[in-house]
Amino acid sequence: MQATQLHPLWRDYPALQPELQQVMQLMDDNINISDPAITAAILDMIHSGGKLLRPAYCLLFSQFKPTDRHRMIALAASLETLHTATLIHDDIIDDSKLRRHQVSIQQQFGKDVAVYAGDYLFVVVFKILSHYSSSFRSIQLNSANMEKILIGEIHQKDRHFHTEITLADYQEQIQGKTAELFALSCFLGAYESGQSELFANRANKAGMAIGMAFQILDDILDYQETSQEIGKPVLEDLAEGVYTSPLIYALQTDYRQQLMSLLRKQGQITLAERQQVQRLVIDAGGVIKAKQLAKKYTNTALRTLKHLPDVPARATLLQLTQQLLERHN
C-alpha cells in the first residue's frame, strides 16, 4: 500500500507510525460512495493532516498486553472515522468554509451533500465495529458517545452569543464536544485488548482529562494565533457566538464593559473588532487563567498515566501527552 504522509508529530514516535498508516489505509478501504467527487473529498479531508490522536491513544492503551493488532487497528480506524464524521457535521453547523487549511466539504458541495457524507461515515463506523469488535460493548459505547457529542453540540448551539455563559457551562460543552471521544478511545484500547475493568476505567479517566486539556488549549490558541497559523479567520468561533474559557474569564474582570460593547454586535462583528476582542482578552488575563485550567486537567492526566503498569506504552503515553498538552501551536 502507498504510505500516507502522517502529521509531523509522529516523527518522534516511529514505532507507532506503521499502525497509524494501517489505520488510514483501512479507512480508505471502507469509504466508497457512488459519487467519485464526494468520495475524493472525504478522502482528501482524511488525508489533510489530522493528528490521528484518538486512534493513537486507542492503540497505545491496547499495548499493555499482547492482543490481536489487526483488530485494534480496526477499532482505532472506527474512532478516527467517527471523529471525521463529527467534523463534517461541525462545519455544516458552523457554516465553515475551511477545514485544516482546505475548503470544507459543505463549502464544496453544499450542506445537503455534506450531511449525507457525515451520515455515511457514521455507517462506516458501525460497519468496521461489526466486523472487528469482540462484543456489543464497543458498539454500545460508540452509540452512547455519539449521543454525548450531539448533546454537547446542542448545548453549544443553545448558548450561542450567551454572554452569561459560566465556566461550568463551558466545561460541560467541551466534555461532550471533545473529551468524550478521547475518553472512549483510551477506554476501548484498554477494554478490547482484554484489560480489567479497573484498568479500562483508569484509561477512560486519563482520556477524559486529556480531552478537556486539549480543547481548552485549542481555545487558548484561538486567542494567540493568526488566521494563517490556524487555517481559518481569527476568532471565527467568537463570530459564530461560541464563547470559550479565555473570554469567559475576561468577562469576569473590569474589561467586561469594553468586551460587551463588541460582543453585542454578535454575528455582525468585523475582523478588526474580533482582533480587538483578542487583545482585550489577553490584557484582561483571560488567557493566563485558561492556561491554569488546562494545566489542572493536564496534571490529572499525567498523574493517572503514571499509575499505569511500567511498560514501554506508558512511557510513550506520558511523552505524547506532555508534548500535546504543553504545545504552543
Side-chain angles (χ1 to χ4, degrees):
M1 71 178 180
Q2 185 176 1
T4 299
Q5 186 67 39
L6 297 177
H7 190 277
L9 169 71
W10 302 115
R11 291 172 187 161
D12 296 334
Y13 306 90
L16 199 55
Q17 288 180 24
E19 290 195 343
L20 289 175
Q21 294 280 8
Q22 291 175 66
V23 164
M24 299 293 283
Q25 185 63 46
L26 189 60
M27 291 173 69
D28 286 359
D29 292 344
N30 279 277
I31 294 169
N32 184 23
I33 299 176
S34 57
D35 187 319
I38 299 172
T39 299
I42 294 174
L43 292 175
D44 283 347
M45 181 178 176
I46 289 170
H47 291 273
S48 64
K51 292 187 179 73
L52 301 179
L53 293 171
R54 294 145 193 88
Y57 274 102
C58 177
L59 292 168
L60 286 169
F61 270 101
S62 72
Q63 290 178 8
F64 282 80
K65 64 185 299 185
T67 190
D68 180 347
R69 298 314 301 165
H70 187 60
R71 191 165 64 83
M72 297 315 306
I73 288 162
L75 291 172
S78 75
L79 290 162
E80 185 63 15
T81 305
L82 173 57
H83 176 53
T84 306
T86 65
L87 293 181
I88 292 173
H89 284 169
D90 276 355
D91 289 342
I92 297 166
I93 294 166
D94 298 337
D95 201 24
S96 297
K97 294 179 173 57
L98 294 177
R99 166 65 62 180
R100 296 171 182 162
H101 300 272
Q102 294 189 350
V103 179
S104 65
I105 289 177
Q106 69 96 19
Q107 180 68 15
Q108 287 183 68
F109 299 101
K111 292 183 182 293
D112 290 352
V113 171
V115 168
Y116 294 136
D119 289 349
Y120 173 75
L121 289 184
F122 285 127
V123 173
V124 173
V125 171
F126 287 107
K127 182 168 69 171
I128 295 172
L129 284 173
S130 68
H131 282 98
Y132 293 103
S133 62
S134 63
S135 68
F136 284 114
R137 178 76 164 142
S138 295
I139 296 174
Q140 289 172 333
L141 287 166
N142 270 275
S143 300
N145 186 262
M146 287 184 195
E147 182 180 16
K148 289 172 182 174
I149 291 170
L150 176 60
I151 290 170
E153 291 291 349
I154 290 171
H155 284 162
Q156 180 171 289
K157 185 176 185 298
D158 288 344
R159 293 169 183 144
H160 274 194
F161 301 110
H162 181 44
T163 54
E164 301 304 317
I165 183 173
T166 66
L167 193 62
D169 293 335
Y170 165 75
Q171 288 171 297
E172 180 185 41
Q173 278 178 196
I174 66 171
Q175 179 175 329
K177 177 182 176 181
T178 302
E180 290 286 356
L181 191 49
F182 271 94
L184 177 67
S185 301
C186 297
F187 181 91
L188 283 184
Y191 183 83
E192 287 286 341
S193 62
Q195 289 286 355
S196 68
E197 193 85 19
L198 176 64
F199 182 94
N201 287 335
R202 188 168 287 168
N204 184 83
K205 179 183 177 182
M208 184 67 73
I210 291 164
M212 294 293 285
F214 180 81
Q215 185 59 53
I216 295 165
L217 189 52
D218 256 18
D219 295 336
I220 290 168
L221 292 174
D222 277 350
Y223 282 85
Q224 293 183 313
E225 297 190 333
T226 66
S227 58
Q228 289 77 20
E229 288 171 322
I230 58 178
K232 60 180 181 180
V234 170
L235 292 183
E236 187 175 39
D237 283 349
L238 178 112
E240 297 291 334
V242 178
Y243 299 157
T244 59
S245 54
L247 177 62
I248 293 168
Y249 280 121
L251 285 169
Q252 298 169 2
T253 71
D254 293 341
Y255 286 78
R256 179 179 175 86
Q257 190 172 345
Q258 288 174 267
L259 286 165
M260 287 298 296
S261 68
L262 295 162
L263 296 178
R264 288 191 188 100
K265 298 175 183 288
Q266 297 196 352
Q268 302 305 310
I269 191 168
T270 66
L271 178 57
E273 288 165 339
R274 278 187 256 168
Q275 290 169 332
Q276 193 176 346
V277 170
Q278 189 179 39
R279 289 191 295 271
L280 287 169
V281 167
I282 292 170
D283 291 346
V287 168
I288 291 172
K289 293 285 286 183
K291 283 181 177 178
Q292 291 170 353
L293 181 64
K295 188 66 175 175
K296 184 187 81 170
Y297 283 109
T298 298
N299 289 341
T300 298
L302 294 174
R303 191 165 54 247
T304 305
L305 292 174
K306 285 173 184 174
H307 283 95
L308 298 176
D310 188 7
V311 302
R314 186 185 75 165
T316 305
L317 281 165
L318 283 165
Q319 180 186 345
L320 174 62
T321 302
Q322 196 139 12
Q323 180 180 355
L324 190 64
L325 301 185
E326 295 180 358
R327 74 196 193 281
H328 300 289
N329 55 54

